[in-house]
Amino acid sequence: WFSYGWESQLLETGFLAAVSSPLMGVFLGSASAGAVPPAWLPALGYRWLLFRVMMGSGLIKIRPSASACWRCWRKDEPSCMEYFYQTQPVPAPASRYLHFMPKWFHTSSTWANHFVELAAPWLLLLPPLTPTLSKLGQMGGVVQLVFQAILCTSGNLSFLNVLTMLPAIWLFDDAYFKGGASSLAAGAPAAATATAATGTAIVHRHGISVCVLLLLARKSVPVWRNLFGQGPQIMNRSYDRWRLVNTYGAFGTVTKERDEMVISGTRGEVTAPDEAWLEYEFAVKPGSVTRRLPIIVPYLHRLDWCTWIATLSSPYRTPWVKPFLRKLLQNHEGVTGLLANGGNPFEGGDPPKYLKVERYRYRFMKPGSDPGGAVWERERLGYYF
């Protein structure tokens, strides 16, 4: 339930944010610490974080264990983007339209994905020692911001994309905003700030930055080996209990079909006719074929995500499913409250006597093709559990 990579990413982002705070000097006894400019360490740390997030996601897609559809340079293999919009965890309204785009669009999108995740991240590591290097780094930041914005509109990946945008902001200095807010670009405020800052607060600032830099450098060694070493790449792994420097990666494997777990209950007997079985409706994952696709960024509906993952594997590898079903049999409000509003067909009455869990294959309906407004068509495959 708590093994998503973006949770470690949130911890790492929060740690760097705490180090960048000028209040750090106040805790060390400097009353004027608020006048100290932000430390240089977070700028480096966030660049390194964003590099690992994107490079990890890119490398996992070209490993031998990755889905063959990521190898878009092979003409005999369909590209992964032909499937991803339909099979991703929680499709967005735009996903349906993107799914029916022509083949060249999907192939180009796959190539663009490789560029953003494998080539563009190296721009993030360029030190801003000259105006040219600074501009190249800012170009890398723009690429990542645009890419994450596209992902926000084409799917519902929780707060992952918004969280990944935050490190990219640190690639832009005051000079970049010179044509915008004058308070960011003017040299006078910066000079005044430097004058107001005490020498003690500056020493504290640099001392903390150096110590944290050494800590992060030490913890980055196994992460670098995981990315570029000879062994297999492991996604979303932490090498210490504090999760300060982690490995990341996403969607190395893309499924070509979308199977869903559909849960139904009845107050009658197991042999009850189909009309006596009432379906539960999850908050955001596909269920009713006529329900509109949601927009939920940046929220995370963990039950729906876990159900999507569970459907990809055997029920015996997802031990939470049985307790979940038991709670449904009890009409447990703490569990049924995780479903959609009105998604519990037995709300306010007696709980079901029996449950059945079936596996259905869902496919997008082409927009405008169904007079009833169906978004999906589905086919029963059998019992999941």
Side-chain angles (χ1 to χ4, degrees):
W1 280 82
F2 295 97
S3 59
Y4 295 105
W6 54 65
E7 288 163 336
S8 297
Q9 186 178 338
L10 181 62
L11 288 173
E12 192 170 347
T13 303
F15 174 73
L16 291 172
V19 174
S20 68
S21 172
L23 293 176
M24 187 70 72
V26 174
F27 298 140
L28 296 175
S30 174
S32 59
V36 179
W40 46 266
L41 172 70
L44 297 179
Y46 280 126
R47 284 170 180 252
W48 175 227
L49 168 60
L50 185 56
F51 175 85
R52 283 180 285 118
V53 170
M54 303 310 300
M55 186 60 65
S57 296
L59 289 175
I60 203 67
K61 293 179 176 67
I62 60 173
R63 302 290 186 186
S65 58
S67 295
C69 58
W70 283 118
R71 303 179 184 93
C72 51
W73 50 87
R74 294 173 52 179
K75 295 183 179 179
D76 59 332
E77 184 68 39
S79 63
C80 279
M81 301 312 295
E82 295 183 40
Y83 311 110
F84 178 75
Y85 299 114
Q86 178 174 264
T87 61
Q88 62 179 309
V90 184
S95 306
R96 184 184 177 196
Y97 295 90
L98 291 170
H99 175 71
F100 289 103
M101 295 294 284
K103 181 179 178 62
W104 66 263
F105 176 86
H106 296 303
T107 303
S108 301
S109 298
T110 307
W111 276 110
N113 185 92
H114 288 322
F115 170 77
V116 172
E117 295 183 342
L118 292 170
W122 293 101
L123 296 175
L124 307 175
L125 298 184
L126 295 177
L129 301 178
T130 66
T132 300
L133 290 176
S134 180
K135 288 181 180 180
L136 288 173
Q138 291 164 2
M139 287 175 56
V142 170
V143 169
Q144 300 305 331
L145 286 172
V146 171
F147 183 63
Q148 297 303 321
I150 293 173
L151 293 179
C152 284
T153 58
S154 62
N156 288 296
L157 299 180
S158 181
F159 56 84
L160 173 61
N161 305 123
V162 178
L163 182 64
T164 306
M165 287 180 175
L166 295 180
I169 296 175
W170 282 80
L171 288 148
F172 305 99
D173 55 14
D174 292 352
Y176 182 85
F177 297 99
K178 194 170 184 179
S182 59
S183 60
L184 290 175
T193 299
T195 302
T198 65
T200 303
I202 294 177
V203 170
H204 286 162
R205 167 68 78 195
H206 290 311
I208 292 171
S209 295
V210 170
C211 291
V212 175
L213 177 63
L214 294 175
L215 173 67
L216 297 182
R218 173 64 184 87
K219 293 186 176 297
S220 294
V221 173
V223 174
W224 182 269
R225 290 174 179 168
N226 180 72
L227 283 174
F228 301 107
Q230 297 297 322
Q233 179 185 349
I234 303 175
M235 297 191 306
N236 305 323
R237 177 176 178 178
S238 298
Y239 292 90
D240 65 273
R241 60 181 299 183
W242 301 106
R243 298 176 181 266
L244 297 183
V245 182
N246 312 288
T247 66
Y248 300 100
F251 298 111
T253 301
V254 173
T255 57
K256 297 184 177 181
E257 299 286 354
R258 183 182 195 94
D259 292 347
E260 289 288 349
M261 179 194 306
V262 176
I263 304 174
S264 305
T266 182
R267 295 191 180 105
E269 299 300 322
V270 175
T271 56
D274 290 343
E275 57 268 18
W277 290 88
L278 305 177
E279 287 187 17
Y280 289 87
E281 193 74 36
F282 285 76
V284 294
K285 86 176 191 69
S288 170
V289 296
T290 58
R291 190 170 66 161
R292 294 181 179 179
L293 298 172
I295 300 176
I296 58 172
V297 173
Y299 297 102
L300 170 61
H301 291 264
R302 194 177 298 271
L303 176 62
D304 296 68
W305 273 76
C306 288
T307 305
W308 175 77
I309 295 172
T311 310
L312 299 176
S313 60
S314 165
Y316 303 103
R317 299 181 62 183
T318 50
W320 64 268
V321 173
K322 282 187 177 180
F324 171 65
L325 296 176
R326 291 194 192 102
K327 295 297 183 180
L328 291 182
L329 285 170
Q330 300 167 9
N331 247 357
H332 192 287
E333 292 183 0
V335 172
T336 58
L338 300 175
L339 302 173
N341 291 331
N344 176 17
F346 304 97
E347 184 177 4
D350 294 332
K353 185 177 181 180
Y354 294 101
L355 294 177
K356 64 178 179 179
V357 186
E358 299 171 290
R359 183 187 295 270
Y360 278 82
R361 178 153 295 169
Y362 280 70
R363 298 184 180 91
F364 273 138
M365 293 283 287
K366 196 167 185 178
S369 62
D370 182 67
V375 176
W376 302 94
E377 60 177 341
R378 72 180 191 179
E379 171 190 4
R380 186 182 182 279
L381 301 180
Y383 288 104
Y384 170 80
F385 189 79

